[in-house]
Amino acid sequence: MVLSPRQTSPVTGNPVPEYYIHADSRHFRDTSGRTVLLRGINLASSAKTPKGQPGQQLAGFWQHAKDGQLSFVGRVLDIEDGSADIHLQRLRSWGFNCLRYVTTWESIEHQGPGKYDRDYIDYTVKLLRKCKEYGFRVYIDPHQDLWSRFAGGSGAPYWTLLACGLEPEHFTATNAAFIQCEWPESEGGPANYPDMIWATNYSRLACQTLFTLFFAGRDYAPKCVIDGVNIQDYLQDHYLAAYTELGRAIAAEGDLLDECVIGWDSFNEPNAGFLSVEDLAVYGKETVLRVGAMPTPFQGLRLGMGDKVDGIEHYKFGSLGPKKDGTVSVDPQGKRAWLDSMAEANGSPYGWTRGPDWELGKCIWAQHGVWDPETDELLIPDYFHVYRGAGSPSSRSTPAAERAVDFGADYWLPHWRRYAQTVRKFHPEAILFIHSPVFQVPPKIEGPEIAGRAAHSTHFYDGLTLVTKHWNWFNADALGILRGKYASVLLGVKVGEAAIRKCMRDQLGMLRQDGLDALGAFPSMMGEIGIPFDLDGKKAYRDGDYTAQTRALDASMNACDGENLFNYSIWTYCPDNSHEWSDLWNGEDLSVYSVDDAAKMLSVRASTSQLDLVGKIPKSRARATSKASSARSSVYSSRATTPNGSAARIPSTSNLSQSLSSITSTSLTAPSSFTDSPISSSSPLPLPLKSASPGPYQSINLNDGARALCAFVRPYPLKTVGTPIDLNFDIKSSVFTLTVRVDADDVADQNLPTEVYVPLVHYAAFPSRVSRQVQTDLKSQLDSVAEYPPSSLFGPEKDSPGTEGDPYGATLDLPDEGEDDPAALALKVKVTAGRWETEGQILRWYYPRPTSGSMTLKLEISRMNGAIPTWVAQAGARSSDSGYAGFADGTGGYGEWFFGNRLRHSIVIASAVAGALFLFIR
């Protein structure tokens, strides 16, 4: 028997199982040849901190760092109390099919070099098995921010900082790093830790030193030898060994690799440290975000040695960006950011031995001749700007021209190759998600490590919204500005929502092209994308209005669509997010879920019985087949077949609920039955949260703790026969379009369909049965009919009377005592060829293949009677406090005002550019 290329491994040439995902072209594909789109979420940001030690808590922070008595078991999801099942089912019901599983080096090796936390490794294996049971494809994220919790971020264990000769307990005093739990009470304590000040740590001594040593210690710090090897090799060896330990445990299970864990991301958001800094005496291009006291690199070196330094610039960051508000003096009172000279007089508590040339208590960069602490003289300002590795003038006996260091090519890429070789040993078929330095043009990535199993992984955040905590009516093309796309920075500013959305999509297109240029024809994964939910001083937490968040998140999600067709994992899901402490890390509040929002919904449901969110889902499976349309037809199918094959007219009257019980059609269908066993990856996506109540019904609660639900729950093609070439979804109209190019040899099986996730969130026949927010809105609109005309409540009137868009209709879809199925979908479907059917939240589209050449087909889905008004209002209305109206078209209304007021124009430009450029270091 001759196997097709899709049935064999590009690594070994051996036959592959049906669940195998190929990654040797621009799109992921299954073994049948269908294009697979992976869309999911990061699980979970809570993995950054150990159990019982949230980022704002100082008690135990240093004590447990030293004694190693901490645990990360349960910090992704809690398996023991059963809540892991609830969270995973919720994520699955929202349509996600992929998880970026967040781990940290610290969670594996926090007790000391070579001492692995077996309980955590066992826990990870158990939770991955849960993920498999719920049908998720997973890729592992070795996460870090700012190197470590003890440098103000997350990732590496405490002992790695000591290995580098640093004293992290003095970082706050020396301004080497700001740590949330040490934020002084005189300035409001951890609760008032300034927004985004954590990110300035990238430009401070601790992170600059740590990243430089990890990636380039051999060339820039050759005197730093520990246990007979340079600090670079010491750190990388332990890092790779720790993840080998985790990988081997997952592999030992026998049925997790490839079926569930499809691959491994690389070092998260790699940072160059000091590398590429042109002049240590001044702020460089890498010091974009400025908050608080901002020493230059050289001032930071002096502070690290305990010197009092005057004239340090101080910045405040407000709604209009960073602003210098004076200079300050910082006096560490003699404390140094370096380990005391006697710290290891009797040997290190971790058992290592330093080389004789490494002098503790003294700045390692002074030891390498960069500056003189005795005279405070900067000796080699461009020490980190010049390449000092193999082949450089400093490494050869004959003179040669100096060149600037290229962090990506010179140091990140060699590390990635070591990591890739390591992963291949315990996971030969791994898809390597290659995460190059953020926003930098990646170097050419070639070599045997790729083995036809790779994807380019990148990140994107709307920097202006992230930093200002406000959804603005302007933004900036950060990537275009950084890469010299515009003759003037002013031309990179985009005004109006339409222009902003197009700009974001264009930027993601550039990032996708980066991957194709560097790696070749391999898939693209947006590893992180998201928005802060604590906009406008946490206004939404007081009034429940997530309109700004919805519009901001929709703009980012929309950027992944179009011709970009990004796979993505949203940042983030945090199971213990709260309104007070956010994601429990540095004040970040990007979780699409919050326990406080869930609690608020439960409170409303308990107090308002007539607006109870719980709907009823019959356990019987409803399934039907659409009427086939001709290959050239572009007319909506308005008829569906009943189980006995007779035609039934899909109702479009106000009495829609009464008609539902008489037909079972693809336009109005129920999900597949729930069972007590978890679902598989091939099962239709379920509805959320099974009820414990007896009887033939289950509960629906799509809003359970979700924020901006309609923005991140979106239709998309799960598996496509052929190649998707364009994808769009508009919340305000509910219109989803998919364009597919089909080649004669795309798939061998002519009976395979394209499968599209059609979320109940947007296409429910009875939306008030699945969303408390919609219920409340509809009830208030009924109460307001006498005072306000219908158009002011719902927008344009719909074609058919008595729909949700018409308050004078019969029911307005409020709950009653009837047996109407809340899981029913109300679909209008247009296809250029073929037939379609639905099961649960999955639409299957069958169409003919060309006998030769290729053909282009299109699918369009919308909701009968129009989009759900609640989502229309959230996605389309201008925020009431913006002070400006009529900007919806993204072109007019403000041109004359914007370009006329020059002073405000200049301030706005500075804000937009500074905020957006934050993505460069993010």
Side-chain angles (χ1 to χ4, degrees):
M1 177 181 177
V2 178
L3 298 175
S4 72
R6 293 294 170 197
Q7 296 175 309
T8 58
S9 163
V11 179
T12 65
N14 296 328
V16 295
E18 289 186 2
Y19 54 73
Y20 190 87
I21 293 181
H22 288 276
D24 56 354
S25 65
R26 292 189 176 208
H27 299 279
F28 295 113
R29 294 189 184 272
D30 63 17
T31 54
S32 68
R34 288 185 294 181
T35 298
V36 174
L37 196 58
L38 298 176
R39 293 202 157 175
I41 198 160
N42 279 265
L43 184 72
S45 56
S46 54
K48 294 183 179 185
T49 56
K51 197 169 186 176
Q53 194 70 56
Q56 71 272 9
Q57 180 179 306
L58 180 58
F61 183 75
W62 296 113
Q63 174 189 342
H64 297 312
K66 297 173 184 177
D67 63 26
Q69 300 304 307
L70 50 88
S71 174
F72 286 79
V73 173
R75 287 303 295 134
V76 178
L77 296 176
D78 196 325
I79 299 174
E80 300 304 321
D81 67 2
S83 61
D85 290 280
I86 295 173
H87 291 295
L88 290 171
Q89 189 177 25
R90 177 182 294 119
L91 293 172
R92 188 72 171 142
S93 71
W94 286 342
F96 297 135
N97 63 358
C98 175
L99 300 173
R100 183 176 184 242
Y101 188 98
V102 180
T103 65
T104 64
W105 181 5
E106 183 189 11
S107 64
I108 303 170
E109 201 179 5
H110 54 82
Q111 294 179 334
K115 297 179 180 179
Y116 304 116
D117 189 333
R118 298 293 172 186
D119 290 339
Y120 172 78
I121 291 173
D122 291 344
Y123 157 76
T124 300
V125 169
K126 290 178 183 177
L127 187 52
L128 288 172
R129 185 162 296 286
K130 280 282 184 187
C131 295
K132 178 189 174 185
E133 290 172 355
Y134 282 89
F136 288 105
R137 302 302 185 120
V138 175
Y139 66 111
I140 306 296
D141 164 34
H143 202 85
Q144 73 79 36
D145 308 273
L146 304 169
W147 182 261
S148 171
R149 288 193 298 132
F150 310 101
S154 67
Y158 171 79
W159 56 264
T160 63
L161 286 81
L162 275 59
C164 292
L166 290 162
E167 175 49 88
E169 289 189 75
H170 292 171
F171 284 173
T172 295
T174 58
N175 262 224
F178 289 140
I179 302 172
Q180 183 186 14
C181 65
E182 288 197 325
W183 194 248
E185 291 298 331
S186 60
E187 297 186 41
N192 287 312
Y193 189 62
D195 287 342
M196 303 311 303
I197 197 171
W198 67 265
T200 68
N201 286 337
Y202 280 116
S203 301
R204 301 181 190 276
L205 176 62
C207 285
Q208 288 173 319
T209 295
L210 289 159
F211 285 113
T212 303
L213 294 180
F214 181 81
F215 285 109
R218 285 197 303 268
D219 295 337
Y220 290 85
K223 293 182 179 181
C224 293
V225 173
I226 184 169
D227 281 351
V229 298
N230 184 267
I231 186 64
Q232 173 185 337
D233 299 304
Y234 184 82
L235 293 172
Q236 290 196 23
D237 288 350
H238 279 283
Y239 173 79
L240 297 174
Y243 276 97
T244 295
E245 215 48 39
L246 177 63
R248 285 174 175 169
I250 297 170
E253 290 295 295
D255 63 343
L256 287 179
L257 294 185
D258 304 323
E259 190 170 357
C260 174
V261 179
I262 60 172
W264 297 71
D265 212 342
S266 56
F267 193 96
N268 182 69
E269 295 182 354
N271 188 270
F274 278 121
L275 300 180
S276 298
V277 174
E278 295 184 27
D279 186 345
L280 293 169
V282 299
Y283 296 116
K285 62 183 180 182
E286 67 285 337
T287 311
V288 176
L289 184 68
R290 302 177 188 179
V291 184
M294 291 297 301
T296 65
F298 180 47
Q299 288 174 327
L301 292 174
R302 292 182 57 202
L303 287 169
M305 282 297 290
D307 292 351
K308 178 183 178 182
V309 179
D310 300 319
I312 295 175
E313 293 186 359
H314 190 278
Y315 289 82
K316 286 186 177 180
F317 200 100
S319 60
L320 297 179
K323 180 182 179 181
K324 179 182 173 182
D325 62 351
T327 60
V328 296
S329 297
V330 176
D331 186 359
Q333 301 289 320
K335 291 182 178 180
R336 296 184 177 185
W338 305 99
L339 276 179
D340 186 85
S341 60
M342 301 301 293
E344 296 177 3
N346 297 318
S348 165
Y350 295 103
W352 56 59
T353 302
R354 295 185 194 272
D357 294 333
W358 192 340
E359 182 183 348
L360 286 184
K362 183 178 180 180
C363 172
I364 61 170
W365 307 120
Q367 295 180 55
H368 287 87
V370 177
W371 70 293
D372 185 350
E374 298 299 324
T375 63
D376 288 338
E377 182 181 0
L378 180 59
L379 303 174
I380 314 178
D382 64 348
Y383 182 77
F384 299 101
H385 182 64
V386 176
Y387 176 62
R388 301 183 182 278
S392 68
S394 61
S395 68
R396 292 186 289 191
S397 57
T398 57
E402 290 184 343
R403 70 168 177 85
V405 65
D406 181 337
F407 170 63
D410 294 333
Y411 295 104
W412 168 79
L413 186 56
H415 162 72
W416 176 81
R417 291 196 189 284
R418 287 197 66 195
Y419 175 76
Q421 293 163 7
T422 300
V423 170
R424 285 270 179 252
K425 291 177 182 177
F426 58 77
H427 190 174
E429 298 282 0
I431 299 172
L432 299 173
F433 291 83
I434 306 173
H435 181 40
S436 55
V438 176
F439 257 36
Q440 296 182 25
V441 177
K444 192 70 176 176
I445 306 169
E446 299 174 315
E449 301 88 359
I450 294 173
R453 303 283 293 156
H456 185 244
S457 175
T458 188
H459 295 178
F460 179 88
Y461 289 92
D462 169 8
L464 189 64
T465 302
L466 191 68
V467 175
T468 64
K469 299 292 184 75
H470 179 71
W471 174 241
N472 294 278
W473 47 266
F474 63 91
N475 212 300
D477 179 0
L479 192 56
I481 292 170
L482 285 168
R483 297 190 180 177
K485 179 180 177 181
Y486 303 98
S488 166
V489 169
L490 304 183
L491 298 177
V493 175
K494 306 299 176 181
V495 180
E497 207 155 301
I500 292 170
R501 289 165 70 91
K502 182 181 183 303
C503 173
M504 287 187 182
R505 186 174 281 189
D506 289 346
Q507 289 181 78
L508 265 65
M510 292 176 68
L511 293 174
R512 184 171 185 268
Q513 191 60 47
D514 282 350
L516 295 172
D517 293 342
L519 185 59
F522 287 89
S524 299
M525 170 63 78
M526 183 58 65
E528 292 185 20
I529 188 167
I531 58 107
F533 284 88
D534 55 341
L535 301 182
D536 303 313
K538 300 187 177 182
K539 174 179 175 290
Y541 302 163
R542 298 187 294 274
D543 62 16
D545 181 5
Y546 283 95
T547 299
Q549 290 85 344
T550 298
R551 290 164 53 216
L553 185 56
D554 179 48
S556 289
M557 296 294 94
N558 174 73
C560 294
D561 290 340
E563 296 180 359
N564 291 331
L565 285 159
F566 259 104
N567 302 275
Y568 61 65
S569 46
I570 297 169
W571 187 271
T572 179
Y573 188 87
C574 182
D576 44 10
N577 171 284
S578 70
H579 290 175
E580 180 180 8
W581 292 111
S582 305
D583 296 341
L584 306 184
W585 183 84
N586 282 341
E588 271 205 346
D589 198 349
L590 280 76
S591 177
V592 300
Y593 168 88
S594 175
V595 292
D596 283 346
D597 287 281
K600 185 177 294 187
M601 292 170 191
L602 288 172
S603 175
V604 171
R605 287 168 55 195
S607 62
T608 316
S609 58
Q610 71 272 25
L611 295 179
D612 188 3
L613 179 60
V614 175
K616 299 177 180 179
I617 306 172
K619 281 191 172 182
S620 60
R621 175 172 299 189
R623 185 173 182 179
T625 305
S626 74
K627 180 179 179 181
S629 61
S630 67
R632 295 184 179 275
S633 171
S634 61
V635 181
Y636 283 108
S637 173
S638 61
R639 298 174 69 84
T641 56
T642 62
N644 63 12
S646 61
R649 186 72 179 176
I650 297 173
S652 57
T653 67
S654 61
N655 202 15
L656 183 63
S657 60
Q658 296 179 10
S659 304
L660 279 173
S661 60
S662 64
I663 67 169
T664 305
S665 76
T666 17
S667 291
L668 300 165
T669 65
S672 58
S673 61
F674 278 118
T675 64
D676 292 331
S677 59
I679 62 174
S680 70
S681 59
S682 60
S683 303
L685 294 172
L687 292 167
L689 305 184
K690 297 182 288 184
S691 168
S693 59
Y697 297 104
Q698 305 288 344
S699 301
I700 299 176
N701 190 350
L702 286 169
N703 265 118
D704 185 28
R707 288 112 67 94
L709 180 73
C710 64
F712 69 81
V713 177
R714 309 168 74 86
Y716 69 96
L718 295 157
K719 299 177 181 180
T720 304
V721 174
T723 302
I725 56 177
D726 192 65
L727 165 66
N728 285 284
F729 173 62
D730 177 36
I731 295 176
K732 292 179 285 186
S733 65
S734 79
V735 173
F736 165 81
T737 59
L738 171 65
T739 305
V740 181
R741 188 191 70 245
V742 188
D743 297 322
D745 58 352
D746 272 333
V747 294
D749 187 348
Q750 295 293 310
N751 296 315
L752 284 174
T754 286
E755 297 183 7
V756 179
Y757 170 60
V758 184
L760 191 64
V761 168
H762 291 285
Y763 299 101
F766 304 102
S768 68
R769 301 295 183 88
V770 296
S771 168
R772 180 195 62 80
Q773 187 175 11
V774 173
Q775 284 183 357
T776 304
D777 287 353
L778 291 175
K779 180 62 164 60
S780 65
Q781 288 162 358
L782 273 180
D783 294 340
S784 304
V785 163
E787 184 174 356
Y788 299 102
S791 59
S792 69
L793 295 173
F794 301 102
E797 294 184 16
K798 304 297 185 289
D799 293 337
S800 40
T803 67
E804 291 168 337
D806 180 0
Y808 298 101
T811 65
L812 244 176
D813 186 32
L814 285 173
D816 54 32
E817 298 302 320
E819 294 298 314
D820 299 329
D821 180 7
L825 297 173
L827 304 179
K828 285 184 178 180
V829 178
K830 177 197 289 187
V831 296
T832 54
R835 62 183 179 85
W836 52 273
E837 65 184 25
T838 62
E839 182 180 10
Q841 298 184 88
I842 303 297
L843 181 144
R844 296 188 178 93
W845 177 24
Y846 299 84
Y847 41 80
R849 283 54 154 171
T851 56
S852 62
S854 64
M855 62 188 296
T856 300
L857 301 173
K858 186 173 181 179
L859 165 73
E860 183 174 305
I861 301 172
S862 61
R863 183 174 178 273
M864 290 178 61
N865 303 325
I868 295 169
T870 296
W871 306 151
V872 174
Q874 285 195 6
R878 295 295 301 172
S879 55
S880 59
D881 60 351
S882 67
Y884 311 107
F887 227 145
D889 63 356
T891 56
Y894 299 115
E896 183 177 349
W897 167 85
F898 186 75
F899 293 103
N901 189 332
R902 293 185 178 182
L903 176 60
R904 185 162 180 88
H905 178 195
S906 300
I907 297 173
V908 166
I909 293 295
S911 173
V913 173
L917 287 182
F918 170 69
L919 279 72
F920 179 70
I921 61 172
R922 168 69 180 161

